[in-house]
Amino acid sequence: MCGIAGFINGRGDAQSPVLQAMLARIAHRGPDGQGIFVDGPAALGHRRLAIIDLDGGPQPMFNEDGRLAVVFNGEIYNYRELTAELTDSGHVFATRSDTEVLLHGWEQWGPELLPRLRGMFAFALWDRDTRQLFCARDAFGIKPLYYYRADDGTLLFASEIKAFLDHPSFEKQLNERQLELYLSFQYSPGEETFFTGVKKLLPGHWLRFDGTTLQTGAWWQTAFTPEVSPTHWPEAIDAVLQDSVAAHKIADAEVAGFLSGGVDSSYLAALARPGRCYTIGYAEPGYDEAIEAARLAGTLGIENRVRRITPTEFWDAIPAVQYHMDEPLADAAAVALYFLNETASREVKVCLSGEGADEFFGGYNIYKDPFTVRWYDRLPAGLRRVVGSVAERLPAIPGVNFLVRRARPLDQRYYGTTALLTERQKRRLLRRYQGIVQPRDLARPCWQASAGLDPVTRMQTCDLQLWLPGDILLKADKMSMAHSLELRVPFLDREVFALARRLPAEVKADAQRTKKALRTAAARHLPAASAQRKKRGFPVPVRDWLRDPRYAARVEAAFRSPAAARFFDTDRLHTLLRRHLRRRQDNWRQIFCIYCFLVWYEQFFGRDAA
């Protein structure tokens, strides 16, 4: 696990001091070493967090004749098998590092190497003979990679956007159009970013640059193919997860785990049996999962460390969280992850975490929707639209969200689990609303790709392509690497997905339960209460803390800032906050979303930002 950065200069040879400055920005991703390589216009840099082959894996790494150079962020879990196969084909390995597989694999197979890789990765490979750069990102988007084409022809790439800030060809400009999407998604969705010209290399995609022409394309297509078969799904799930956990434990350093009260992390802990695990807790009992986690850890014989977060710590950490995220993120769980990773990093370098189980196995509570109150969907569509339009203007009370949500067919309304502000609400709040790109525009390809499948699988497709890489995995990467910790996600494995994509709808969700087959599989290793515990997400008491004058004052100050006045109708912002404080409406998510954007903006575009 590391950080990479580099560029192909558009005019003249690359300069190593520029690369050094880029790497300094992301030093937190790899405190164990730094490597640079400059070859004419090309500059490749690497910050290392040593996990495998502690002494023999420095990067950039080269093939036997020095023609190929690679910098790599991630882990290849089947590197031993690939090493044996490539050795049999005549390749000579100089290290025990998984990085070297990329070099010899590229020599042997070229781009066909990518579907052979089992792991998480973002890498950049420079061919000194053809003068071409090739980059690739793993299938599910576990590891991030950004790129930017400057006006002078220079191409920049890095694990984090902030690495671009020190390159003289980079022009830092706000992409204000992304704000409208963010206010609906709570994260920055799709290929675009909040920085003009900076793009994400999408999950399962490659990039090729020859100094003139920039090309990108997909090497992987994520698709569910539910089937009707006599397969005993829980048994099959348990077998493939045991194999994945074993692969994800390969390391030359201790592998610990994260543990909440939910089934996902509990199941992984039961399979992996790490020596210790880490849990977040709060003083507020309605949000605290530490007691449940400690009880399970005792049952499994695992040492449990609990980090309880105070509200003051939470609010104080938000600027650092937004800085490390690179783009604004209004997922309060990111702050909890920030502290969880900080605590773990004091003792270990690697932790297992449960991201991906909900998207693969049907875990979100909203997946119950197609099975509930079905009579309402049989009402005339026009009537439901009228009721929904009226409900949209009402305070957020139980039942109102249901009426708004069910006013339109699923494929016209669903773009993720956390739909925040509607277009009508954004039009009222924003000073410069354009509505050129709307959430459903980003979701449309997902719905087209899943045409003919059941509603749960179609929602999974949407979440797998938007929510998972845009929020879940991005905060997992950025919050772990902020503290130089490697986070491994055994659910997000190619072999696990090969099974999960085949699951029929009836073993995923119904009106009462989610992750039905996964829970049955987990019950083979867990107490029944742990296997069947309802989905809670990663609860954080922001709703309550926002009603405390000490923390409401921070938000109120942000809402009075010049940045707030630039982007928003500040009178409406204060109305949102006032109604929440007086308990007339539950507006915490909208308030927190706007507040996080304003904090992020000050980090990167404020008066003293650099």
Side-chain angles (χ1 to χ4, degrees), residues 431-481:
R431 289 199 173 278
R432 290 178 294 276
Y433 173 84
Q434 298 182 56
I436 297 172
V437 179
Q438 299 188 10
R440 63 175 179 267
D441 296 326
L442 274 71
R444 188 174 295 115
C446 306
W447 289 102
Q448 292 171 344
S450 61
L453 300 180
D454 63 275
V456 171
T457 302
R458 302 193 77 186
M459 286 191 284
Q460 285 178 274
T461 300
C462 193
D463 290 332
L464 194 60
Q465 297 188 26
L466 290 173
W467 165 249
L468 182 68
D471 182 305
I472 298 293
L473 292 177
L474 201 62
K475 73 175 184 282
D477 172 84
K478 299 291 181 68
M479 294 302 94
S480 59
M481 295 312 299

Side-chain angles (χ1 to χ4, degrees), residues 270-348:
L271 294 179
R273 298 298 173 106
R276 48 188 148 186
C277 59
Y278 301 86
T279 302
I280 283 295
Y282 306 95
E284 293 78 4
Y287 298 88
D288 188 30
E289 295 186 282
I291 295 175
E292 296 166 350
R295 185 181 300 119
L296 178 64
T299 300
L300 298 176
I302 300 171
E303 186 177 350
N304 184 222
R305 301 274 204 278
V306 177
R307 174 67 159 88
R308 281 194 162 80
I309 304 173
T310 69
T312 299
E313 287 177 317
F314 177 93
W315 290 97
D316 286 348
I318 290 176
V321 169
Q322 298 303 323
Y323 173 78
H324 281 288
M325 285 303 307
D326 279 333
E327 297 188 84
L329 178 71
D331 189 340
V335 186
L337 275 175
Y338 181 84
F339 286 105
L340 183 61
N341 282 281
E342 178 190 47
T343 301
S345 68
R346 296 170 186 165
E347 299 178 325
V348 296

Side-chain angles (χ1 to χ4, degrees), residues 387-502:
V387 172
S389 179
V390 173
E392 194 176 310
R393 293 166 169 80
L394 297 175
I397 58 176
V400 167
N401 286 339
F402 167 84
L403 296 174
V404 174
R405 193 167 63 245
R406 299 289 268 268
R408 290 176 294 162
L410 185 62
D411 61 352
Q412 294 180 24
R413 70 174 187 261
Y414 189 81
Y415 55 85
T417 65
T418 56
L420 279 182
L421 295 167
T422 65
E423 299 309 303
R424 177 178 175 273
Q425 291 169 325
K426 289 187 289 186
R427 191 179 294 110
R428 289 162 61 87
L429 274 174
L430 289 167
R431 289 199 173 278
R432 290 178 294 276
Y433 173 84
Q434 298 182 56
I436 297 172
V437 179
Q438 299 188 10
R440 63 175 179 267
D441 296 326
L442 274 71
R444 188 174 295 115
C446 306
W447 289 102
Q448 292 171 344
S450 61
L453 300 180
D454 63 275
V456 171
T457 302
R458 302 193 77 186
M459 286 191 284
Q460 285 178 274
T461 300
C462 193
D463 290 332
L464 194 60
Q465 297 188 26
L466 290 173
W467 165 249
L468 182 68
D471 182 305
I472 298 293
L473 292 177
L474 201 62
K475 73 175 184 282
D477 172 84
K478 299 291 181 68
M479 294 302 94
S480 59
M481 295 312 299
H483 300 291
S484 308
L485 183 79
E486 174 169 300
L487 208 61
R488 297 184 176 184
V489 283
F491 283 110
L492 288 169
D493 175 75
R494 71 175 193 185
E495 301 302 326
V496 176
F497 184 68
L499 175 66
R501 70 188 302 172
R502 297 166 44 218

Side-chain angles (χ1 to χ4, degrees), residues 258-280:
F258 289 166
L259 184 62
S260 69
V263 64
D264 305 334
S265 62
S266 298
Y267 192 7
L268 293 184
L271 294 179
R273 298 298 173 106
R276 48 188 148 186
C277 59
Y278 301 86
T279 302
I280 283 295

